[in-house]
Amino acid sequence: MYKLNIFKFFSAHIGTRLVSLTILSLFVSFVEGIGLLSLSPLIDLILENNVSEKNYFILTPMLNILGLDNTVISIMSIILIMFTIKGSLNYLYLAQSAEVKADLSKKLRNKLISNYISLNFKVSLKTTSGGLSNIITEQVSRVLRAFDFLSRFYAGILASIILMGFGLVVSPHFFLFSILLFLIFGLIYQNLISKTKNISILATKESKELAENVIRCSDGIKYLLSTSNLNLVQSSLTKSINKIANLEQDAGKLAAVSIAIKDPLSITTMMILVFFQLTFFELEASIFVVNLLLMHRLINTILQTSSGFQLMNEFSGSVHKIDSELYSCDHENIDKFIRFKKIPDKFDFDIELKDVSFSHDKKRKIFKNLDLKIPFGNKVLLTGQSGSGKSTILDLITGLIQPDSGSVIVGGENIKKINIEYWRQQLGVVLQEPTIFSGTLIYNVTLRTSEELSKEEILKVEKLLLNLGLDQFISKLPYGLNTVISDKGLNMSGGQRQRIGLAREIFKRPKCLFVDEATSALDSKNEINVWKVLENLDFPHTLILISHTNPKSHIKFDHKMDIGSLI
């Protein structure tokens, strides 16, 4: 498994904005340090009515800058000003951090979706909906949490260095003691961090598998209930849930250790410092108090920084997963057609398969030296037995797959040399099992909501569905076209789903309309309605109908081709 540098990952996606956040946190810590140092001369004035020479050296530059006298009120004003500035800078830091997170979220999710839709068709078939959903939603959210802890880690490191620097100004032994603290805490937390990182990677993998199993169960719920196989899927879900729960428990125990040792370590360190101060050093009361305050602040900062680094590693598995999805896939997985930008001059496309050979497994040929030409505006019927390659022709023409040899020609150009997105926008594809989206009926026809459509477009949808014989179905829906239909159309018949799929493609008025066994689930009456609609389309187009047998249609086909006779 490759090693990922989490810091480089975020630097690559955030760039200089990570630097600006770091600079802001530096100023926050610096201003806080000045505020704490100002307490020393304040204590001098309160206890002894005089500022010691060392404290006066600390105080003089600030008093001169602000034009203030050496009084209690002046010093209190400085402290108030410093912590007010700290609060303002802290707000800027948190606000900018939120903005960076939002931009990072958009960038990662858009990039993941862009990569997915650019995948080679064969590779995309291996991508499960559950895995994809898990990556884009949960894993990206976990990456954002990792960024939270990373930014806090950077801020904590800088704050610790600033506090050490101010401690060096107050007393050199404080600085040396601070270095010793860093080494001790580093050793204590190193083992915790390593174990947390390993748990995170395992939990990320298991979460992806759980999401895939949940989607699998949801997709097949009707079959699983009908055949009483739901218990088998439930068993798999239970195993994943238990594994994740155990991993979360282990991570929680490690976090508990981190939290539990925080106070004992802090108090022990403070007591050691007090012992050293009283036994070996004779410090003024004000210096001693400020030393304690700085040490207390430093210890808490170091502990929070170490804990933050541990929590960042708890989410590191997700960072690894997202980085792998973005950059570690083989370049061959990306659809090569996407790279080309050429748009054909013509808007009327002849389609030609020229000397095409194709096989799915490189062994048994589906086609060998196939020649097929379909002029624009023709109505073509392709028939053949199951497995003869009817649907494969559709995949070749749409560019989802590439021939082993030969060429697919569109509008006189090799399909590899044209803008494939533009070509696909000219196509309408009606499959035997059309995709039904979770959304309203009108969304399933137009892929837009009612608010995004004009009145004319809505009327067009109503007329189209009426012509396809769906008027009774719509009349029973509580909200008509705006009724939400179930995911994958489980509450509809196969014929209703097929006609909605057909309506979707006709609505977009494609240049080329493929209809693949789209009436197989219809009774004779509704099948006649579909043929009438296809026969009377009012826009120029090529119609390619794919069927096992000659359909009972009044459509006058320009060509009827048996795939078996073409091979």
Side-chain angles (χ1 to χ4, degrees):
M1 181 180 178
Y2 76 100
K3 292 185 177 181
L4 169 69
N5 187 314
I6 294 178
F7 304 101
K8 288 184 178 180
F9 173 87
F10 285 111
S11 295
H13 292 285
I14 298 171
T16 56
R17 301 178 76 180
L18 189 58
V19 176
S20 64
L21 282 174
T22 304
I23 293 172
L24 268 176
S25 68
L26 178 67
F27 280 117
V28 170
S29 301
F30 184 77
V31 171
E32 180 188 25
I34 292 176
L36 290 175
L37 281 186
S38 300
L39 291 172
S40 183
L42 177 63
I43 295 171
D44 271 351
L45 280 174
I46 294 173
L47 296 180
E48 303 176 13
N49 200 29
N50 186 36
V51 179
S52 67
E53 183 177 347
K54 185 169 187 178
N55 281 334
Y56 191 74
F57 171 76
I58 296 170
L59 186 64
T60 300
M62 289 183 285
L63 290 173
N64 291 338
I65 291 172
L66 297 173
L68 299 174
D69 297 325
N70 185 14
T71 63
V72 171
I73 298 298
S74 297
I75 298 174
M76 289 176 65
S77 298
I78 290 175
I79 295 172
L80 179 61
I81 290 170
M82 290 300 106
F83 280 94
T84 301
I85 293 174
K86 179 199 170 185
S88 300
L89 290 173
N90 210 27
Y91 168 77
L92 290 175
Y93 171 81
L94 293 173
Q96 185 171 344
S97 179
E99 184 180 330
V100 170
K101 275 179 61 181
D103 289 344
L104 180 62
S105 172
K106 288 187 288 187
K107 182 176 181 180
L108 291 179
R109 288 186 166 113
N110 284 327
K111 180 66 175 175
L112 287 166
I113 292 173
S114 177
N115 276 9
Y116 176 70
I117 63 177
S118 300
L119 283 177
N120 179 287
F121 177 64
K122 289 184 179 180
V123 177
S124 68
L125 292 176
K126 300 176 184 178
T127 304
T128 63
S129 56
L132 181 65
S133 174
N134 175 264
I135 289 167
I136 293 176
T137 54
E138 181 181 353
Q139 299 308 321
V140 171
S141 294
R142 288 173 60 86
V143 168
L144 298 178
R145 293 289 304 280
F147 169 74
D148 265 339
F149 291 117
L150 174 67
S151 58
R152 293 180 196 177
F153 172 74
Y154 275 141
I157 290 290
L158 291 173
S160 299
I161 294 172
I162 293 293
L163 289 170
M164 287 181 191
F166 282 118
L168 183 60
V169 172
V170 174
S171 58
H173 73 274
F174 179 91
F175 176 76
L176 296 175
F177 197 74
S178 301
I179 295 296
L180 182 61
L181 273 181
F182 256 122
L183 295 175
I184 293 172
F185 291 148
L187 290 173
I188 291 173
Y189 277 92
Q190 181 60 41
N191 190 39
L192 289 175
I193 290 168
S194 177
K195 288 182 178 179
T196 302
K197 186 174 181 179
N198 291 334
I199 289 175
S200 172
I201 292 172
L202 291 174
T204 298
K205 180 181 177 182
E206 200 60 45
S207 293
K208 178 175 178 290
E209 291 181 5
L210 175 61
E212 290 175 353
N213 285 332
V214 170
I215 296 293
R216 194 177 295 125
C217 179
S218 175
D219 287 349
I221 189 65
K222 185 175 181 179
Y223 164 77
L224 294 171
L225 286 172
S226 302
T227 59
S228 193
N229 278 320
L230 193 59
N231 60 319
L232 296 176
V233 179
Q234 186 178 6
S235 174
S236 178
L237 289 172
T238 302
K239 287 180 182 178
S240 289
I241 290 170
N242 290 339
K243 285 182 181 179
I244 292 173
N246 290 334
L247 290 169
E248 289 174 342
Q249 181 179 343
D250 292 342
K253 287 180 179 179
L254 290 175
V257 171
S258 174
I259 294 171
I261 65 177
K262 180 180 175 181
D263 285 340
L265 279 175
S266 177
I267 295 300
T268 301
T269 306
M270 293 291 291
M271 294 301 100
I272 292 173
L273 178 62
V274 171
F275 173 78
F276 271 80
Q277 294 261 38
L278 295 175
T279 306
F280 300 104
F281 302 98
E282 295 182 0
L283 295 176
E284 300 168 6
S286 60
I287 299 294
F288 180 71
V289 171
V290 171
N291 247 345
L292 285 178
L293 288 172
L294 285 171
M295 178 58 69
H296 176 71
R297 186 72 184 90
L298 176 63
I299 291 170
N300 282 331
T301 300
I302 293 175
L303 287 172
Q304 288 172 5
T305 302
S306 300
S307 178
F309 190 66
Q310 179 191 354
L311 289 169
M312 181 186 72
N313 278 280
E314 186 176 329
F315 295 99
S316 64
S318 298
V319 179
H320 279 259
K321 183 62 181 175
I322 294 297
D323 186 70
S324 174
E325 290 293 326
L326 289 175
Y327 299 113
S328 299
C329 58
D330 184 4
H331 290 299
E332 291 299 316
N333 292 345
I334 302 299
D335 194 333
K336 295 179 180 180
F337 296 165
I338 300 296
R339 302 175 188 173
F340 296 94
K341 303 297 181 184
K342 183 175 181 181
I343 296 177
D345 297 329
K346 302 177 184 177
F347 289 94
D348 301 336
F349 303 97
D350 292 343
I351 299 170
E352 183 178 3
L353 274 62
K354 192 173 183 179
D355 199 26
V356 167
S357 296
F358 178 81
S359 61
H360 288 292
D361 54 10
K362 303 296 182 183
K363 295 178 181 179
R364 186 180 67 85
K365 291 285 185 183
I366 304 296
F367 301 129
K368 187 175 181 181
N369 307 120
L370 172 65
D371 289 306
L372 173 64
K373 186 169 184 177
I374 304 174
F376 178 77
N378 276 201
K379 292 178 173 60
V380 178
L381 174 64
L382 297 179
T383 60
Q385 298 301 315
S386 296
S388 61
K390 302 184 301 297
S391 297
T392 302
I393 289 179
L394 168 60
D395 293 341
L396 287 166
I397 292 174
T398 57
L400 292 177
I401 58 176
Q402 301 177 50
D404 299 333
S405 61
S407 306
V408 178
I409 309 297
V410 174
E413 294 282 356
N414 191 309
I415 196 172
K416 294 181 180 181
K417 296 182 179 180
I418 65 173
N419 185 309
I420 195 65
E421 293 300 323
Y422 175 79
W423 166 234
R424 288 171 180 165
Q425 288 168 9
Q426 316 305 315
L427 304 179
V429 179
V430 186
L431 301 175
Q432 186 172 358
E433 286 294 335
T435 299
I436 300 296
F437 300 98
S438 179
T440 63
L441 176 56
I442 197 165
Y443 177 83
N444 269 276
V445 175
T446 66
L447 298 185
R448 286 179 285 168
T449 63
S450 295
E451 292 75 15
E452 297 172 303
L453 297 168
S454 66
K455 290 182 180 180
E456 291 75 15
E457 288 174 319
I458 294 174
L459 289 172
K460 179 182 175 183
V461 172
E462 291 176 344
K463 182 179 179 182
L464 181 55
L465 295 176
L466 175 65
N467 291 338
L468 288 170
L470 286 168
D471 47 321
Q472 289 186 3
F473 169 69
I474 297 172
S475 68
K476 295 178 182 178
L477 298 176
Y479 302 105
L481 295 179
N482 290 310
T483 301
V484 176
I485 55 181
S486 68
D487 190 19
K488 301 186 184 302
L490 294 179
N491 59 347
M492 295 187 295
S493 69
Q496 289 167 343
R497 291 196 296 270
Q498 284 185 334
R499 282 175 285 170
I500 289 172
L502 179 60
R504 181 191 304 144
E505 301 312 303
I506 293 175
F507 179 81
K508 66 187 284 190
R509 300 173 69 86
K511 295 289 183 183
C512 183
L513 178 61
F514 294 92
V515 182
D516 186 0
E517 300 285 0
T519 63
S520 58
L522 297 177
D523 56 33
S524 57
K525 178 182 176 182
N526 285 312
E527 185 175 4
I528 291 171
N529 288 333
V530 168
W531 295 133
K532 285 182 178 178
V533 169
L534 290 174
E535 188 177 6
N536 297 300
L537 295 178
D538 61 351
F539 53 88
H541 66 283
T542 299
L543 174 64
I544 301 176
L545 181 65
I546 298 173
S547 178
H548 284 92
T549 58
N550 286 308
K552 297 177 181 179
S553 165
H554 295 293
I555 297 176
K556 295 180 180 179
F557 291 103
D558 297 286
H559 302 283
K560 292 184 178 182
M561 306 177 188
D562 182 2
I563 298 298
S565 65
L566 296 175
I567 301 174

